[in-house]
Structures are given as C-alpha cells and as structure tokens.
Amino acid sequence: MRLAALSAAIVPLASLQAEDGYDLWLRHAPLEGESLARLQAHDGEIVALNPDEPTVALAISELRAGLDGLLGKADRAAQTGSYTAFRFDCDHPAIAPGGAFRITPADRLLSIDAAEPVGCLYASYAILRELGQGADPSTLALDSAPAMPLRMLNHWDNPDGHVERGYAGRSIFDWWHLPERLDQRMIDYARANASVGINGVVVNNVNARAFMLEPRYIAKFARLADAWRPYGIRVYLSARFSAPMDIGGLTTSDPLDPQVAAWWRAKADEIYTAIPDFGGFLVKANSEGQPGPQDYSRTHADGANMLAEGLGDRGTVIWRAFVYSAEDETDRTKQAYAEFVPLDGQFADNVIVQVKNGPLDFQPREPFHPLFGAMPKTKLMFEGQITKEYLGFASHLAYLAPLWKEVLGADTGRGGPVTKSVAQVIAPAGMAGVANTGSDRDWTGSDFDQANWYAFGRLAWNPALSSESIAREWAAQTFTRDPQALGTITAMMQGSREAVVRYMTPLGLAHVMDTGHHYGPGPWVCDLARPDWNPCYYHRADGEGIGFDRTPAGSDALAQYAPDVTAQWADPATVDPRYLLWFHRVRWDRVMPSGRSLWADLVHEYDAGVAAVDALARDWQTLAPHIDAQRHRAVAENLAIQQVEARWWRNASLAYWQSLHGLPLPAGAAPIPESLADYQRRAFPEAPGQ
Ligand code: GCW
C-alpha cells in the first residue's frame, strides 16, 4: 500500500524532470491518457517506397524517434508491431514540388505523399507536431504547401565566434575546427530548422569578411552543406563586395569591369565544385560603411546583376535594401525607397531584394516598409530580426509573431485593383530572419526566445497562421499539454510584445535606445557624429511637443505609401495611435481621444507596459506545477529582470521628457525614483552583441 502510494506520488514528478531547453520544441514528451492510448492503438511499421534515399531515411527515423518519445518507449528500437501504420510515397506525381505534402488517414494507416523526399521529411515533423498536441492519428488529415520558396535564417555570426546582435553566447559555428570536426549541434540545428520548414541558411554576417570566400572556408561550408543537405537546407554566404580587391589581387571591384565579373564567376565555379547546391550570395552593399557598386558610381542593380551572372541559374543573389547614407540629409526612413524604386525592372531574374520589415531598423513597432508593393517588377524578400536587438535582448519576454504578422498582413494598397498584402508581395521570394541562436545550452539565450525561431519558420511556411495558434502549438511541444496552463502561456506570449512597445517606444516612438549596444533607454543622446544615429533625431522632443513629422509639412515620408495607406495615417486626429509619433509631431498638451493630454497618455502607456510585465511574472508563478523546475526558474529570473528594466525604461524616459517640458506627472502616477542624471550616468560598455 505504502509503496503504491509512493510511486503514484512520484510519477508526475518524474515527468517534470529538469530540462535545459536543448531539445527545443522537439522534446516529444510522452503522451498520457487517451491520446497515448490512441497512438498505441495506431502505431506500427513505417514503410517507404525508397527508404534508403537519405532524406526519406531521415523522414522515417525522425518519425520513429518522435513516436517512440510520444509513446514513452525507453528503448527506441522497441518492437513496433507487424502491420503498416505510416506509408511514405515521396515521389508522388499529384503533389506539387517544393516541400508540399499530403497526409491521408485510413483504417490504422496514415498515407504520406509528397513529390520530393523533403516533403516527406516535413510531413514527419507535421505529424509529430499534431500528435504531440494530442491529435488522433486515425483522423489526422493534412494538406500543406509552403507559401514561399525561400525560408531562411541569416546569421550575423563572425568567423571569430562573436555574433553581432547575438545574446545567446558565442556562435554555434565552430569555424576553427571545421571542416574536420562537425559538432553534433550542426545536426541538431538542421533538425530544428527542417522541423519548421526553414530551407536556407546564410552562415556568416552581412558585415562580411572577404577571407571567408577563400578555399579553406569553402571547405568548411562544404562540410556543413553535406550535413544539412538531407534536411533540405542549402548554404548561402554573405559576400563582401570588395572581395576581388581584398583577396583577389585586383585593383578594383567595379561591377562593370570585366575582370571583376570574371573573378566572381570563377569564385562561383569554385564554390559550386565543392557545394553543388550552393544557394547563393547575400550582400550588404553601400550601407553602414560596407563597400558596394556606388563606390564606382554604379547602381545596386549593376552590382547585383554582375554577381547574379556569375552564379547563373545555379543560385540567387539576395541584395539588401537596408541602405542609408551619411551624406543624405533626408529622413533616413525614406532612403531605401528613394534608391531602389527607380531600379525596379532592372534586376536580373535570379536577384531578390531583401527588405526589412519596416523602413527604420527592427524597432519594437514600425509601419511596414514602403518598398513592399512599390517594386512590382522585382522579387522582394522580407527580413525580420529574430534576435531581439531592440526588444530587450534575451531577458525580455517578447513573442515576435504578432510583430511579423502586423507587417505580413498589412495591405500595401498596391498591386492592382485587388491590392496586395505584404505576404502576397513576398510570396514569389521568401522570408529571412536574423537568427537568435548561440552557444547557450538553450540555443537562444532564454526559453521563450525559442518560440521566435519556431514562429519565424512557421510563418514563412504559412503567413496566414495566427500568432496565437503558433504560440499554443509551440508551448504544447515545449512546456506542457495541460490545457489551462497552455491557455496561460499563450496569453502571456500574445501580449508580451505589446508590453515591450509600451514601456520602450509607446505611441509610435522609435530608436530611443542607448547608443551602440541598444540596451536600455537613451532618449537624451543627441550628439553622435551622424544625426540619424541619435535618438533625438527620431523623437524630436522639446518643450513644445514630440514626434517626427512625416507629413507633407515635414519629411513627407508618408508620400512613399500608396494613397489609401497615406490617407489612413495622414491625420493626427485619426491615425492609429500606435503610429502617432512615427508620423506626427504632437504638442504635449494636445487632447487625445482618451480625453487626457498627450503627456498623460504617454505616462499611461509606460505604466501599462510596466503593469503588463508584472502580470507576466505573476502568471508565470501560477505555472510552477506544470513546468520543470529548471526551466521554470530560468524564465522567472528573466521576468524579474524584465520587471526591473521595464521600470527603468519608464522612469528614465519620463525623467527625460519632463526635463524638456517641466510638466508634473499626472495625479496618481508613481514618482520617478532617481534623477535624470542618475539614469544618464548608467553605462554598459560590456553589453553583448556589439
Ligand atoms: O540594426 C542594424 C544593426 C547592425 C546591423 C545592421 C544591418 C549587421 O545595429 O548591427 O549590421 O542593422 O542590418 O545591416
């Protein structure tokens, strides 16, 4: 009796063993109750027409291992039964190529059809995702195809292991020991990517070093490409535009110089000899000091097309539109549009222009980039930041699917009588996310940041998925299947990014982070060498008011949008308040729709942000019975940091605005505990990611 009681008490604890997050959403924790019984009843052999093809073999082994996890089988080679439960046809003529798959249930059999092996691999992960949430295998029907061909991660990882804007330790790439040593992480990384449909990886920083194009590095990339090929992942490289001079011995990198073109063609040939399915080059040119075609009075199209010709039909040039110039006095947010729209129609077929989600730089909130929809003759790709450079690094909980969805779902007002959303504009090309991975055991520096990697892949596969459903499926696979706990976690995630917006950049403010590292508030920074590096440039606050006038009376950045979109943001009285200070300069005493003054509204926003973080911390405490102690504590500690830092943001920002206008805090608002000078004195020269 006593023994039985004891073991009954131990069971739930055993299922909450300490976890360090390494397994990401691929834990495949054992099912219980009815869903376990249903899977037990279904389980049997997995067969395929061509089981030895490397990717088909993976589809089988991943499915088997995942099923064994869900079934709680300690012995992964355990007998699986004598009949067929899963049958793959990975050469099915009725399915579209490119990763699509169809799963059809019949009596105790799931038929899995795809045109290519990678479709079968994606199907395995989809089955496990569904079963892992408790789905019934006897009715599991799925028909799924990727919405866009390129679903990529961009790593800002440097060859010395430092990650620009990385908050999860050092780089996951062990360049020093490659190609001889291939860390198991490189396989686990490929699994994680493939499980959410990511099929391309740019392995080095866009602020690129030319020596990474030398033969010794090509051998390293080739080892990775070989390891990732079965997972359907192609390797891409960031290429430094001046490489012909830096490492090629030429005296110019002029894209119209035949010697330069020949150098790049030879370089491409050399790469393709080692990596037959090399994806292509990503280029940051004439941006933030990087070399580019404009150094020779050539255009972005001249530069991109020259590289594209070198690749030929073997690969793609992805050319970034993130450009702004020190010499140009115009509103920085207007410069990419101004440089690129005139080039529409001039880019070669195998060139894609990669555009950040917004016209500034990965802020907690920006309106969508006006280039989306404005270059109908050019393939445009979306670039989002998975790493949280401007959203509190790894310690702030900010689930980013709502941010990306806001942009993907935006109506560009262009594209014909039926206007296109951003998601429709990028559908022929794809999405790139700046990776948040690092050497930390949990990969991303915090458990919740794994969700952003996951959600990025899921949205690139299907931008129509709701951020709520992605949060829920991620949390069910990552933390717990308990419905009530899942409801709490999902709600926490869904509100988290808005909380960050409110305590950092409320009502359309942007780029008020401290200089360089972008950690913490720095709205008072006004004296940097370039005006458009200064927070003051963006908020334009003084004793009278605050905000950047982008109407025709100001920079007229509004005019870069389609007329319907412009109209929706043109009037400070009717603009969505979330974009108010992005587009308008507003007096502190302006009466807002709330009936309060702008100043009082702003204070209200900061306070709401702080309160939302307090609520996140409280909600997380209630989840202790459902989450293993190690990860529960890790998240709780991050939330405690976020609570402190949300207050810091609120107090430092309010102290600065107050120093400009001298208005008292609205009645009832918490006092600001320190002086502005105290906040300004804080310095973090050692902040990560710089
Ligand atoms: O957001 C800025 C970052 C830089 C980055 C740049 C870019 C890779 O602060 O670190 O450089 O954007 O996107 O090129």
Side-chain angles (χ1 to χ4, degrees):
M1 261 309 273
R2 290 184 68 185
L3 254 184
L6 200 66
S7 63
I10 284 170
V11 169
L13 279 180
S15 66
L16 289 184
Q17 266 169 13
E19 293 189 49
D20 59 16
Y22 184 84
D23 292 338
L24 297 162
W25 49 88
L26 297 170
R27 294 158 60 247
H28 307 308
L31 293 166
E32 286 161 13
E34 237 183 81
S35 44
L36 175 61
R38 282 195 304 246
L39 186 56
Q40 281 167 336
H42 180 92
D43 192 33
E45 296 294 337
I46 304 172
V47 301
L49 294 181
N50 188 4
D52 298 327
E53 196 283 333
T55 301
V56 179
L58 267 182
I60 296 170
S61 63
E62 286 289 287
L63 182 57
R64 185 69 263 156
L67 290 169
D68 287 353
L70 294 173
L71 290 163
K73 287 187 189 170
D75 176 7
R76 296 216 151 179
Q79 183 53 260
T80 53
S82 53
Y83 60 91
T84 301
F86 302 88
R87 187 180 57 213
F88 286 102
D89 177 351
C90 312
D91 184 21
H92 198 287
I95 313 288
F101 58 84
R102 188 177 60 201
I103 298 167
T104 323
D107 187 32
R108 286 179 108 188
L109 172 72
L110 284 184
S111 298
I112 303 143
D113 299 321
E116 297 161 339
V118 74
C120 285
L121 181 62
Y122 292 150
S124 285
Y125 291 122
I127 291 170
L128 293 171
R129 183 186 308 130
E130 296 299 322
L131 296 179
Q133 295 174 76
D136 181 350
S138 68
T139 57
L140 185 57
L142 286 173
D143 203 339
S144 191
M148 52 193 90
L150 295 183
R151 307 174 298 277
M152 304 183 62
L153 292 187
N154 289 182
H155 285 270
W156 288 357
D157 296 34
N158 294 327
D160 66 359
H162 179 264
V163 182
E164 183 160 347
R165 311 310 176 183
Y167 311 106
R170 307 273 298 165
S171 173
I172 55 172
F173 302 121
D174 182 8
W175 297 122
W176 189 250
H177 290 111
L178 276 164
E180 289 82 7
R181 259 166 58 177
L182 184 87
D183 197 285
Q184 176 61 29
R185 265 196 181 240
M186 293 295 92
I187 304 298
D188 296 336
Y189 167 79
R191 288 181 68 217
N193 279 336
S195 76
V196 291
I198 288 168
N199 66 354
V201 174
V202 182
V203 294
N204 60 324
N205 192 351
V206 289
N207 291 327
R209 304 293 299 269
F211 68 73
M212 292 187 93
L213 292 166
E214 287 177 346
R216 68 189 175 104
Y217 267 87
I218 294 174
K220 298 171 195 282
F221 305 140
R223 180 84 200 271
L224 287 183
D226 290 344
W228 293 348
R229 190 167 296 114
Y231 293 90
I233 295 169
R234 291 173 79 175
V235 166
Y236 293 71
L237 297 180
S238 292
R240 186 168 163 88
F241 198 76
S242 57
M245 296 159 76
D246 301 333
I247 59 165
L250 300 190
T251 53
T252 176
S253 297
D254 180 350
L256 299 194
D257 185 312
Q259 273 187 295
V260 170
W263 187 88
W264 281 107
R265 187 193 309 267
K267 184 50 70 183
D269 291 347
E270 184 187 343
I271 296 173
Y272 278 104
T273 305
I275 311 173
D277 57 353
F278 174 60
F281 295 125
L282 172 66
V283 187
K284 171 175 178 177
N286 295 120
S287 164
E288 299 186 330
Q290 294 299 313
Q294 293 176 346
D295 303 347
Y296 307 94
S297 306
R298 314 297 186 197
T299 69
H300 290 292
D302 294 331
N305 293 346
M306 181 271 298
L307 290 177
E309 209 185 303
L311 293 175
D313 58 11
R314 301 172 292 189
T316 307
V317 170
I318 303 173
W319 195 268
R320 295 177 86 227
F322 177 69
V323 294
Y324 62 99
S325 150
E327 292 74 46
D328 195 333
E329 299 271 284
T330 39
D331 179 354
R332 172 173 151 185
T333 67
K334 291 175 66 178
Q335 294 185 24
Y337 180 102
E339 277 189 42
F340 278 85
V341 168
L343 301 175
D344 190 28
Q346 293 183 29
F347 289 99
D349 281 350
N350 58 334
V351 173
I352 293 174
V353 174
Q354 180 165 300
V355 181
K356 286 190 181 181
N357 58 274
L360 181 50
D361 195 11
F362 300 136
Q363 295 304 296
R365 172 167 282 124
E366 293 182 43
F368 71 89
H369 202 300
L371 273 175
F372 291 119
M375 296 183 69
K377 293 183 229 137
T378 307
K379 275 187 240 155
L380 299 187
M381 191 153 162
F382 170 107
E383 180 177 329
Q385 209 179 35
I386 307 174
T387 192
K388 306 207 308 296
E389 174 180 355
Y390 294 99
L391 287 101
F393 298 2
S395 45
H396 292 211
L397 200 177
Y399 171 54
L400 299 177
L403 187 164
W404 298 322
K405 289 276 300 180
E406 216 166 83
V407 171
L408 291 167
D411 184 349
T412 63
R414 304 189 199 269
V418 181
T419 58
K420 287 187 177 168
S421 67
V422 172
Q424 288 170 317
V425 168
I426 62 166
M431 279 173 69
V434 180
N436 64 350
T437 50
S439 56
D440 280 6
R441 186 67 193 158
D442 65 13
W443 294 90
T444 56
S446 80
D447 292 285
F448 271 104
D449 278 323
Q450 298 177 354
N452 291 327
W453 180 6
Y454 181 92
F456 175 81
R458 297 287 287 140
L459 283 175
W461 183 274
N462 180 4
L465 292 173
S466 74
S467 44
E468 205 262 343
S469 69
I470 297 172
R472 186 175 292 271
E473 66 180 41
W474 171 80
Q477 296 167 89
T478 303
F479 282 133
T480 172
R481 298 186 187 96
D482 179 84
Q484 213 186 327
L486 267 186
T488 304
I489 297 171
T490 306
M492 287 176 64
M493 291 170 73
Q494 281 290 92
S496 58
R497 176 268 190 146
E498 201 62 41
V500 173
V501 170
R502 295 177 101 173
Y503 63 73
M504 284 189 188
T505 55
L507 299 180
L509 287 175
H511 219 303
V512 286
M513 295 77 191
D514 204 356
T515 302
H517 48 61
H518 299 152
Y519 167 71
W524 46 79
V525 177
C526 301
D527 58 357
L528 302 177
R530 289 182 51 160
D532 55 7
W533 282 348
N534 287 302
C536 290
Y537 172 92
Y538 294 101
H539 62 65
R540 313 226 155 175
D542 60 17
E544 301 273 293
I546 182 171
F548 198 131
D549 185 353
R550 294 191 164 104
T551 69
S555 81
D556 204 18
L558 256 180
Q560 293 184 334
Y561 291 95
D564 284 351
V565 178
T566 305
Q568 140 202 333
W569 290 328
D571 181 349
T574 55
V575 66
D576 180 337
R578 297 178 306 173
Y579 299 116
L580 177 68
L581 303 178
W582 181 279
F583 287 114
H584 299 281
R585 186 174 158 72
V586 180
R587 289 181 56 90
W588 293 110
D589 59 5
R590 182 186 173 95
V591 180
M592 303 289 289
S594 64
R596 295 183 289 253
S597 67
L598 172 72
W599 167 235
D601 252 12
L602 211 52
V603 176
H604 174 82
E605 286 297 307
Y606 287 112
D607 283 334
V610 169
V613 177
D614 288 346
L616 289 177
R618 275 198 308 275
D619 289 345
W620 186 252
Q621 284 312 322
T622 69
L623 295 168
H626 301 282
I627 316 280
D628 60 283
Q630 186 170 333
R631 289 188 300 163
H632 188 269
R633 199 191 62 210
V635 171
E637 288 179 350
N638 276 335
L639 287 168
I641 295 174
Q642 193 176 2
Q643 285 180 284
V644 170
E645 295 189 352
R647 286 176 169 75
W648 169 33
W649 266 97
R650 180 251 186 210
N651 293 327
S653 305
L654 290 179
Y656 176 66
W657 308 137
Q658 237 182 356
S659 77
L660 299 176
H661 57 47
L663 297 168
L665 287 175
I672 300 169
E674 293 176 57
S675 74
L676 175 60
D678 290 332
Y679 295 116
Q680 288 173 324
R681 251 195 302 278
R682 297 188 185 190
F684 308 93
E686 79 287 25
Q690 292 181 72

